[in-house]
Amino acid sequence: MTSVTDDLPLAADFPKATVEDWRKLVDGVLKGAPFEKLVGKTYDGLKIDPLYPRARGVAPVVGRAAAAPWQIMQRIDHPDAAAANAQALQDLENGATGLALVFAGGNDAHGFGLEPTADAVGKVLKDIHLDAGIGIELQIGPQSRMAAIHVAEYVKSKGLDPAACDIRFGLDPLAACAVWGHSPYAWEEIAPAVTGAIKGLAALGFKGPFASADGRVIHDAGGSEVQELAFVLACGVAYLRAIEGAGVPLEAAQGMVYARLAADADQFLTMAKFRALRLLWARIETACGLTPKPLFIAADTAWRMLTQRDPYVNMLRATMATFAAGLAGANAITVLPHTLALGLPDPFARRVARNTQLLLLEESNLAKVSDPAAGAGGIETLTAQLCEAAWALFQESEKAGGAFAALQQGLFQSKVAAARKARDADIAKRRDVLTGASEFPNLHERETAVLNATPVALAPYGEQKYKFDALPPIRLAEPFEALRDKSDAALKAHGARPKVFLANLGTPADFTARATFAKSFFEAGGIQAIDSEGFADPAKLVAAFRASGAELACLCSSDKVYAEHAEAAAKALQTAGTRHIYLAGRPTEAEAGLRAAGVTGFVFAGGDALATLQDAYRRMEQA
């Protein structure tokens, strides 16, 4: 009896695939379009090819210890210290291995945070065994800088061995200067204060690290990967210089600085960025005459990618970001809860943030392989490109006089502004999709629960003696969310949202594709789309439009049907008093005739959706 596989060819019988074979297939699909159409670019101008060969002769990037898990950090930012303590204990009992203590006024507080007092520190750390391997990370700002001292004093008051406590103190005045856009002091005054605090904490027996080079500042402001990396290098070198200048041997200073990076939903760029930082920092250590040691890198899932609308999609974004940072060797990861952009997260949101990491570690075993991207042609190429470009920008900041001087001169700010402008344009045109906000909106989503808490009020910090352009955090979805807020306000005030009537022409086969597109297009701005059956009779079309209660109309059909019926339909809608008539599709040679008939705008993929929606609101408000 023969097996069903007896006549099947073995793997060796198949011809070996080549790049040339692949190109022939691709050229057949492109149908004459240039191959460059498949080549992408990052916001730093780095090229991303559609296919890469295996990278040979490369070694894994040394990061976490082999098979060691990253620290599962949980954000603690409740203004009520007792409530924050309850959250912390619950997190630790349910799988978290570290706590990110976010103090009010911190660079990443986002409106909340702990009170930076000794009393609040004592309450939030109550019953937490700091010497039991729990990672503690302080996120502080100029107004909350004393929190670091209060934590140190708390440790001593409990009779704990500081060396047994894993505390990253998060001293980072340069990041604060970048966010605030001013400083009461020059760098020559800031550096001694920072190094004095570091030397004092080290003298107490704390092992650190103490100073944080925080790239999240750049990422949160809309900057690029290269800019984020260069800023981390510039700040890290500034702290190293300052610590060494204060009399600390460079070998000891080496372990006193760590980095923070943002991880976002772009898996490959995130992985390449984390890998690049390790290589770049090793280069700096070598240039300083040091033997390179793996830099401690803490990751936060990105603030700027969070959306207020359809916030459950944020869970998916955070999962991808955690996956990328974990595979790329991050030492600690903090997942921002999916409702953080709406307010203080409730227990459910906190549990999801915690479990995102637990699932990836315990069920997917992501930490079992060190640098799995090693040898992957695409990621290795991206890593190398990021290293080269970030090093060049870092050198530029060094020539400017270092991180503080570069901020004073607007070096980083100008480049971040350019990257953000390009990114905003792509978001407005929906080339960069924000699911739930700019695409696939849900006007009937339920209100999401957050905690009711009063933020801590802090006194203003110092005189604005040294001023420069600030880099405040932004969220990419904010422009679309502003339109949704207008829609919600109209619903609350008048019982109905702004409406657009989808004037479908012909049969469902003719109009369904463009009607579906138009519905998503308008509802991304909070303008409710009123669907309709296909029409051929202008009188029936007008009657349906009037019955819909809509102020706007959008013709939807195929190009063939448009040629036969669009002008008549537009004239009928204009006569019926339609304030604005759109057509779903790109302008063609028939544009002049359509505009003469009453069509005043076109909606299509690649068009500026945000500008079109904003203009629609202006027209409705002026009527």
Side-chain angles (χ1 to χ4, degrees):
M1 183 175 181
T2 60
S3 168
V4 294
T5 61
D6 285 351
D7 295 328
L8 294 180
L10 299 175
D13 296 330
F14 289 103
K16 184 177 180 180
T18 66
V19 174
E20 290 72 23
D21 295 331
W22 177 78
R23 277 298 302 264
K24 288 179 183 178
L25 294 172
V26 170
D27 290 340
V29 174
L30 287 174
K31 297 179 180 178
F35 180 77
E36 287 68 28
K37 185 176 181 181
L38 301 181
V39 178
K41 281 192 175 181
T42 73
Y43 286 100
D44 290 303
L46 307 182
K47 188 172 71 169
I48 302 178
D49 290 318
L51 184 70
Y52 290 89
R54 178 181 176 182
R56 300 184 182 276
V58 295
V61 176
V62 180
R64 286 192 314 269
W70 63 81
Q71 288 182 346
I72 301 173
M73 306 297 292
Q74 188 74 321
R75 183 182 172 93
I76 304 297
D77 56 353
H78 199 300
D80 184 311
N85 174 254
Q87 290 180 337
L89 292 172
Q90 183 180 40
D91 291 329
L92 293 172
E93 290 169 0
N94 288 279
T97 58
L99 303 172
L101 303 183
V102 180
F103 288 88
N107 300 333
D108 205 40
H110 303 306
F112 294 98
L114 300 161
E115 188 176 6
T117 63
D119 179 65
V121 166
K123 287 180 179 178
V124 77
L125 293 178
K126 181 182 178 183
D127 297 328
I128 294 175
H129 302 288
L130 298 178
D131 56 350
I134 299 167
I136 300 292
E137 180 175 84
L138 309 185
Q139 300 195 18
I140 57 180
Q143 296 162 294
S144 49
R145 63 194 185 282
M146 287 301 296
I149 305 302
H150 296 322
V151 169
E153 292 172 342
Y154 177 85
V155 170
K156 296 295 287 186
S157 72
K158 295 299 179 181
L160 303 176
D161 178 6
C165 300
D166 182 7
I167 302 176
R168 300 185 292 279
F169 283 88
L171 304 176
D172 193 4
L174 287 169
C177 288
V179 173
W180 287 49
H182 65 82
S183 173
Y185 309 106
W187 176 244
E188 292 73 20
E189 300 170 282
I190 295 172
V194 175
T195 56
I198 290 173
K199 290 175 71 176
L201 291 167
L204 290 173
F206 291 99
K207 60 184 180 181
F210 306 103
S212 166
D214 193 350
R216 298 174 307 167
V217 170
I218 300 296
H219 196 276
D220 287 355
S224 69
E225 289 76 22
V226 166
Q227 294 156 11
E228 185 179 358
L229 288 169
F231 185 75
V232 168
L233 296 181
C235 293
V237 167
Y239 294 137
L240 274 183
R241 282 200 186 105
I243 296 168
E244 184 190 26
V248 177
L250 200 52
E251 291 77 7
Q254 185 179 17
M256 293 181 172
V257 178
Y258 72 105
R260 287 174 176 159
L261 289 177
D264 63 27
D266 190 320
Q267 176 191 340
F268 296 145
L269 265 178
T270 295
M271 292 182 70
K273 179 174 68 177
F274 277 72
R275 298 175 82 246
L277 179 56
R278 293 199 180 282
L279 297 175
L280 288 164
W281 191 252
R283 184 174 180 179
I284 286 174
E285 290 173 314
T286 301
C288 293
L290 297 167
T291 300
K293 296 180 181 179
L295 176 69
F296 191 101
I297 303 178
D300 274 25
T301 57
W303 164 256
R304 78 183 186 197
M305 73 179 179
L306 293 182
T307 61
Q308 292 181 340
R309 303 294 173 160
D310 205 353
Y312 299 102
V313 181
N314 292 329
M315 297 180 189
L316 303 180
R317 298 183 180 105
T319 300
M320 183 57 71
T322 305
F323 178 87
L327 288 183
N331 299 93
I333 301 177
T334 304
V335 173
L336 303 188
H338 67 279
T339 60
L340 184 59
L342 290 164
L344 199 62
D346 68 356
F348 172 72
R350 296 180 62 80
R351 178 165 63 88
V352 170
R354 184 176 65 242
N355 287 352
T356 296
Q357 300 195 57
L358 285 169
L359 288 170
L360 292 175
L361 273 175
E362 303 299 335
E363 295 192 16
S364 300
N365 296 300
L366 292 192
K368 298 299 183 184
V369 181
S370 298
D371 194 21
I379 297 178
E380 290 286 5
T381 301
L382 267 178
T383 301
Q385 288 179 312
L386 286 172
C387 283
E388 183 179 354
W391 188 260
L393 181 53
F394 163 63
Q395 288 180 313
E396 195 175 342
S397 73
E398 287 292 281
K399 290 177 183 177
F404 189 85
L407 288 171
Q408 286 183 298
Q409 297 167 33
L411 173 64
F412 287 108
Q413 296 95 318
S414 62
K415 295 184 184 298
V416 169
R420 180 179 172 184
K421 182 178 180 181
R423 196 184 306 275
D424 286 347
D426 282 346
I427 288 171
K429 295 178 180 179
R430 305 199 300 177
R431 291 173 180 162
D432 283 358
V433 174
L434 301 171
T435 303
S438 66
E439 287 269 25
F440 311 112
N442 178 11
L443 295 188
H444 307 290
E445 63 181 316
R446 296 179 180 178
E447 187 174 348
T448 304
V450 292
L451 298 181
N452 184 18
T454 302
V456 173
L458 298 175
Y461 174 66
E463 177 187 357
Q464 297 184 19
K465 187 175 180 180
Y466 298 90
K467 295 182 181 181
F468 32 84
D469 293 335
L471 290 172
I474 56 97
R475 287 184 305 100
L476 300 176
E478 287 177 304
F480 282 94
E481 290 170 352
L483 297 177
R484 294 283 294 276
D485 290 343
K486 283 189 174 185
S487 175
D488 287 350
L491 178 63
K492 184 176 181 180
H494 309 295
R497 298 184 184 278
K499 297 176 184 177
V500 59
F501 175 72
L502 301 184
N504 298 325
L505 307 178
T507 67
D510 297 317
F511 63 73
T512 297
R514 279 177 168 157
T516 302
F517 169 84
K519 176 179 173 65
S520 178
F521 183 100
F522 286 103
E523 294 193 346
I527 300 174
Q528 184 179 356
I530 307 300
D531 209 347
S532 68
E533 62 185 32
F535 297 96
D537 182 353
K540 291 183 179 179
L541 173 66
V542 167
F545 166 72
R546 286 174 173 163
S548 72
E551 301 172 87
L552 313 173
C554 181
L555 298 171
C556 301
S557 196
S558 65
D559 291 342
K560 180 180 178 181
V561 173
Y562 283 155
E564 298 175 4
H565 299 289
E567 289 189 17
K571 287 178 182 178
L573 288 169
Q574 187 181 49
T575 302
T578 311
R579 292 178 181 173
H580 199 45
I581 303 171
Y582 299 90
L583 184 139
R586 290 180 178 274
T588 64
E589 62 275 3
E591 179 180 0
L594 290 168
R595 288 192 179 275
V599 172
T600 49
F602 295 82
V603 297
F604 52 90
D608 194 330
L610 184 62
T612 299
L613 293 167
Q614 290 171 335
D615 179 69
Y617 273 93
R618 282 193 293 269
R619 290 174 181 272
M620 289 186 288
E621 290 165 358
Q622 291 170 0

